[in-house]
Amino acid sequence: MPTFYGKEINSRLMLGTAQYPSPAILADAFRRSGAGIATVSVRREAGSDKAGQAFWDLIKELDVALLPNTAGCHSVREAVTTAHMARELFDTPWIKLEVIGHADTLQPDVFGLVEAARILSEDGFQVFPYCTEDLVLCDKLQNAGCQVLMPWGAPIGTGLGLNNVYGLRSLRAHFPDLPLVVDAGLGVPSQAAQAIELGYDAVLLNTAVAKAGDPVAMAEGFAKAVEAGALAYQADAMEPRDMAAPSTPVLGKAFLE
């Protein structure tokens, strides 16, 4: 099971907490899936009218590790300020760092991301950066203090799956000992299994479960998919090949004349 900043988590599935049809369905999805980490939005909890208190009480009942995020932040200053609010609110040094650089693709601002990661790491935060699979960027994030990397599979909310399998595989090979999580872009459980089969430690998703026709069943589907993916990775799957090869031995077969 994955270990992030010294804390072992009992599941390879991490779920977001937004867009569910109801709080009850959200809770059932978490319980059915056994997800070990819940991402929570600081903005949702920081409302002055305390409207988020009921939501916060529900999350605490789930008994999962909390990963506050800086979703919606478009600048270093905004992300750093939001991270500090999260640490006060949720009493955890963990922060999922998002510095969005493009409004249409929600692609990270890689320059701002590295700067914010360095600032927060120096201030004692344990940063989970939402990034791309770019090796140069990921090297800089590690040098900035990040001990976990969270490359996207595809743009947030698209459900396109793993757009760049080559890049994700290269990242895994480049950082053999660093915890890696595919974050964003997953739409169906088979895509989660593929990520884990590549050697990734976990997957993080939200929309694919929350907006499914049956979110609880979909959450369970993703949970089973990551288990299957982990078994396949541990089993050292065969290498694909271009030429056919008989699976039944032909030596000593009977001949008809």
Side-chain angles (χ1 to χ4, degrees):
M1 287 300 173
T3 298
F4 303 123
Y5 290 102
K7 183 179 179 64
E8 186 175 12
I9 305 299
N10 62 0
S11 172
R12 298 183 185 278
L13 182 61
M14 305 160 65
L15 290 179
T17 55
Q19 305 184 76
Y20 285 84
S22 72
I25 292 176
L26 182 157
D28 287 345
F30 269 82
R31 294 188 181 107
R32 182 83 75 86
S33 69
I37 291 177
T39 59
V40 290
S41 168
V42 175
R43 296 171 187 274
R44 187 173 184 177
E45 282 301 297
S48 58
D49 59 357
K50 302 297 182 183
Q53 186 59 49
F55 169 76
W56 176 224
D57 291 340
L58 172 66
I59 295 300
K60 286 192 290 187
E61 291 177 0
L62 296 176
D63 192 27
V64 294
L66 294 182
L67 178 58
N69 64 55
T70 64
C73 293
H74 290 258
S75 70
V76 173
R77 181 178 180 181
E78 192 178 10
V80 170
T81 299
T82 302
H84 279 274
M85 292 172 58
R87 187 159 63 179
E88 290 187 14
L89 192 62
F90 297 105
D91 191 27
T92 174
W94 282 12
I95 189 72
K96 180 194 167 190
L97 179 61
E98 293 185 21
V99 182
I100 300 301
H102 194 281
D104 291 335
T105 64
L106 300 181
Q107 182 171 347
D109 172 354
V110 296
F111 307 102
L113 185 66
V114 172
E115 182 180 355
R118 179 186 55 76
I119 293 171
L120 292 173
S121 296
E122 290 177 353
D123 199 22
F125 284 89
Q126 296 173 341
V127 181
F128 296 64
Y130 161 65
C131 57
T132 68
E133 68 279 8
D134 184 278
L135 287 176
V136 177
L137 166 64
C138 290
D139 264 334
K140 292 184 181 300
L141 287 170
Q142 187 186 35
N143 292 336
C146 297
Q147 298 178 28
V148 178
L149 298 174
M150 303 181 75
W152 63 354
I156 294 172
T158 62
L160 292 172
L162 308 184
N163 273 355
N164 185 0
V165 173
Y166 164 78
L168 292 170
R169 183 183 293 115
S170 297
L171 194 65
R172 178 72 284 175
H174 189 71
F175 295 105
D177 301 320
L178 195 68
L180 299 178
V181 179
V182 167
D183 175 16
L186 302 183
V188 291
S190 58
Q191 296 161 349
Q194 184 183 18
I196 304 298
E197 288 169 3
L198 291 174
Y200 278 67
D201 298 89
V203 296
L204 170 58
L205 54 125
N206 187 160
T207 308
V209 169
K211 304 300 284 185
D214 185 341
V216 178
M218 187 61 80
E220 183 178 1
F222 270 100
K224 292 181 175 178
V226 298
E227 290 180 9
L231 285 171
Y233 180 70
Q234 294 162 9
D236 190 16
M238 64 169 283
E239 290 292 333
R241 49 183 295 164
D242 293 329
M243 298 298 293
S247 56
T248 301
V250 296
L251 184 65
K253 69 176 184 180
F255 289 93
L256 298 178
E257 296 182 353

